[in-house]
Amino acid sequence: MSESTPLIYKDDYEEFSLSKRAKIILSTAGVIVAAATLWLLCVFLPGKFIPEAVPLEAISKVSELGVRLEPLTRTRVEELGLGDWSGVAGAIDQDESEDSEDDDNYAEQLTSRPSKEVPGVERLIMIGDIHGHYSEFMKLLKKLHYNPSKDHVLVLGDFITKGPDSKKVLDFLIENDIDCIMGNHELYVLRYYAQYHSLRAPFFHDNETGTFTSMAMSNSGFNDDPEFLLAKRLVPDQVKYINKCSIIKTLGKVPLHKTKNEGGPRSTEGVAVHAGLRWDLELNDQDPIENLEMRSYIGPFYNKTTDDPFEDNAVSWSKIFNMKQKEKESEDTLAVYYGHDARRSLSLKKFTKGIDTGCDKGEYLTAMVLWNEIGENKKGKKRVLYKEQSVQIKC
Ligand SMILES: *[C@@H]1O[C@H](CO)[C@@H](O)[C@H](O)[C@H]1NC(C)=O
Ligand SMILES: *[C@@H]1O[C@H](CO)[C@@H](O)[C@H](O)[C@H]1NC(C)=O
């Protein structure tokens, strides 16, 4: 033992001197690894999985569509496979069908250009609640022979949440510069986004007064609600897209007729909104939360709304809205295109067109296609016909 001790000592000494260098190298490496790990955990991964936050902008309460429908020739209408002229005459009320004032509408439409030059499109395609069903959305666009350079697509809210591919739907909408109306679920996602990133709650811009009103924020904190999880994953471009969707859009002239899928020489002003409008308030005075959530008015005055159709004295908002429009002077009427009410499904009335047909419940995804057509009256004079047709695919 004693003989071998120096040797061991020597070895130990050599090992010690070697391991001292190694220790320096190791500890340096350790510091580098620790720093890298810290950087990975605190900078790189959050950057990758917790997208950068962008502050929310004011949500527009009322905005204009920004395109106009160019009157199409009969030949072009047939090329596009739109509608069926044969059934239209019977669809117009007897007392409304041959207004002489309509005879001049062609010349009027061609001469009365809006003050700022608005691009012309062939079709306005409004689509009901897509709810993240990307493949069904693609199927519907394919059926419509969607042409991004000639069609203006407007999704009527609730295009994300519930279904499997919300982010894919969002990216498609962004890439194709598709127009949108905000739905209640987009607003809830924005609220969660603001909550998660400690930002100001979503707020609305009022065109009339120029003031802003904020949405109430719940203090429910972090949770595992799928909408919260979606909100966490949104990247700036996706947030900006949702944030720019307007509560109400004015559409200009839309068809005014009785039965579904047709049209004629009569028109009225049209608006798009996710859930509904208060019949007793101007567009600028509407409450965005009501516009995004209502399903029924509450009697006896029908000046309150509810999202619960089974509440006492609740009557379908579209029923009362139609009644109130019919009581009005014809020039002031509004036709409303909306979604939100999958339970009542396709509901095409004279002044309200509900097109949420429950794709998320495996039912249908519906588009309402609007176009203008050059027609003739009985005397052979040219006039514009306002047409629309609903198109569906099975989900
Ligand atoms: C209302 O204001 C917003 C934001 O300033 C604007 O984008 C929108 O076009 C305005 N709407 C109308 C109808 O003027
Ligand atoms: C609804 O209308 C009635 C009768 O005009 C009125 O007394 C009531 O205050 C209104 N309610 C709301 C919420 O505007």
Side-chain angles (χ1 to χ4, degrees):
M1 287 277 277
S2 62
E3 287 168 334
S4 53
T5 305
L7 199 66
I8 291 166
Y9 177 78
K10 201 180 176 226
D11 275 0
D12 274 357
Y13 181 76
E14 273 176 7
E15 263 174 24
F16 178 69
S17 66
L18 226 169
S19 74
K20 194 179 178 184
R21 243 178 289 140
K23 266 186 183 166
I24 291 165
I25 292 166
L26 270 176
S27 58
T28 311
V31 167
I32 290 169
V33 168
T37 309
L38 264 173
W39 174 80
L40 196 75
L41 289 177
C42 303
V43 182
F44 179 74
L45 287 179
K48 205 149 176 66
F49 295 112
I50 304 170
E52 180 202 343
V54 284
L56 299 182
E57 314 240 318
I59 297 164
S60 191
K61 277 173 69 174
V62 185
S63 67
E64 288 164 7
L65 188 63
V67 293
R68 68 193 157 78
L69 288 172
E70 273 171 351
L72 307 177
T73 62
R74 189 66 211 147
T75 316
R76 183 67 186 138
V77 168
E78 276 160 16
E79 271 170 22
L80 291 167
L82 291 169
D84 175 30
W85 177 231
S86 59
V88 174
I92 304 160
D93 293 346
Q94 279 309 321
D95 58 329
E96 293 169 349
S97 58
E98 286 303 329
D99 281 359
S100 56
E101 66 191 86
D102 288 322
D103 289 355
D104 293 324
N105 80 349
Y106 182 65
E108 247 173 56
Q109 176 156 353
L110 294 187
T111 51
S112 70
R113 281 288 165 86
S115 50
K116 58 179 181 334
E117 198 54 45
V118 176
V121 293
E122 292 191 332
R123 303 184 294 182
L124 168 61
I125 300 173
M126 287 182 267
I127 300 179
D129 308 36
I130 298 165
H131 272 307
H133 289 275
Y134 179 79
S135 60
E136 286 82 355
F137 181 31
M138 291 305 108
K139 214 167 118 188
L140 182 60
L141 290 179
K142 201 171 165 202
K143 182 166 178 176
L144 290 162
H145 303 292
Y146 167 55
N147 179 345
S149 64
K150 294 192 167 163
D151 294 322
H152 188 81
V153 176
L154 175 62
V155 291
L156 296 186
D158 285 8
F159 40 89
I160 53 169
T161 72
K162 296 191 180 177
D165 297 313
S166 287
K167 290 192 52 146
K168 257 172 108 173
V169 169
L170 258 179
D171 290 340
F172 184 87
L173 297 174
I174 295 166
E175 275 157 30
N176 291 277
D177 203 12
I178 287 176
D179 203 354
C180 58
I181 289 289
M182 187 167 295
N184 53 322
H185 288 282
E186 281 79 36
L187 187 61
Y188 302 154
V189 165
L190 283 188
R191 186 187 57 195
Y192 278 139
Y193 182 83
Q195 203 171 298
Y196 179 63
H197 290 287
S198 307
L199 303 169
R200 175 180 177 177
F203 60 109
F204 307 95
H205 177 245
D206 188 321
N207 287 57
E208 209 93 307
T209 61
T211 54
F212 303 100
T213 47
S214 267
M215 185 191 192
M217 282 260 254
S218 65
N219 288 322
S220 56
F222 288 25
N223 59 57
D224 59 0
D225 184 317
E227 296 190 3
F228 186 83
L229 301 180
L230 174 63
K232 273 172 70 170
R233 289 188 293 123
L234 293 178
V235 299
D237 281 349
Q238 294 168 332
V239 175
K240 285 181 194 159
Y241 178 84
I242 299 171
N243 199 176
K244 281 208 168 68
C245 300
S246 166
I247 303 292
I248 296 170
K249 257 185 198 280
T250 56
L251 305 175
K253 286 182 168 186
V254 300
L256 180 63
H257 61 107
K258 255 194 169 170
T259 32
K260 54 182 165 181
N261 298 351
E262 290 155 6
R266 287 182 56 85
S267 66
T268 184
E269 291 301 312
V271 302
V273 67
H274 178 62
L277 283 189
R278 283 273 297 273
W279 62 271
D280 56 330
L281 298 176
E282 295 295 322
L283 292 185
N284 271 304
D285 298 333
Q286 303 272 333
D287 172 354
I289 304 301
E290 284 189 308
N291 296 145
L292 265 48
E293 293 183 345
M294 69 161 77
R295 289 196 175 83
S296 297
Y297 293 126
I298 302 171
F301 303 114
Y302 305 115
N303 57 1
K304 280 202 294 189
T305 64
T306 173
D307 63 349
D308 175 11
F310 301 107
E311 203 171 310
D312 285 349
N313 298 319
V315 179
S316 150
W317 83 271
S318 65
K319 187 175 172 180
I320 304 297
F321 192 87
N322 274 276
M323 195 180 87
K324 297 291 180 185
Q325 297 306 299
K326 285 169 191 167
E327 287 169 10
K328 273 188 179 181
E329 291 294 315
S330 59
E331 301 87 65
D332 301 339
T333 56
L334 269 185
V336 183
Y337 295 80
Y338 68 103
H340 188 60
D341 204 346
R343 201 182 60 84
R344 293 189 180 112
S345 199
L346 192 66
S347 172
L348 304 179
K349 297 177 179 169
K350 191 167 178 177
F351 293 102
T352 56
K353 330 262 168 165
I355 60 167
D356 177 6
T357 45
C359 184
D360 188 57
K361 297 192 243 165
E363 291 167 14
Y364 296 90
L365 185 63
T366 299
M368 184 61 103
V369 184
L370 273 68
W371 72 98
N372 290 351
E373 198 172 314
I374 303 166
E376 286 181 357
N377 70 2
K378 280 177 186 160
K379 296 168 206 139
K381 208 171 163 190
K382 272 185 184 171
R383 62 179 174 182
V384 173
L385 303 172
Y386 300 88
K387 311 284 286 279
E388 66 187 1
Q389 180 181 36
S390 63
V391 178
Q392 299 185 318
I393 55 109
K394 184 91 183 80
C395 288

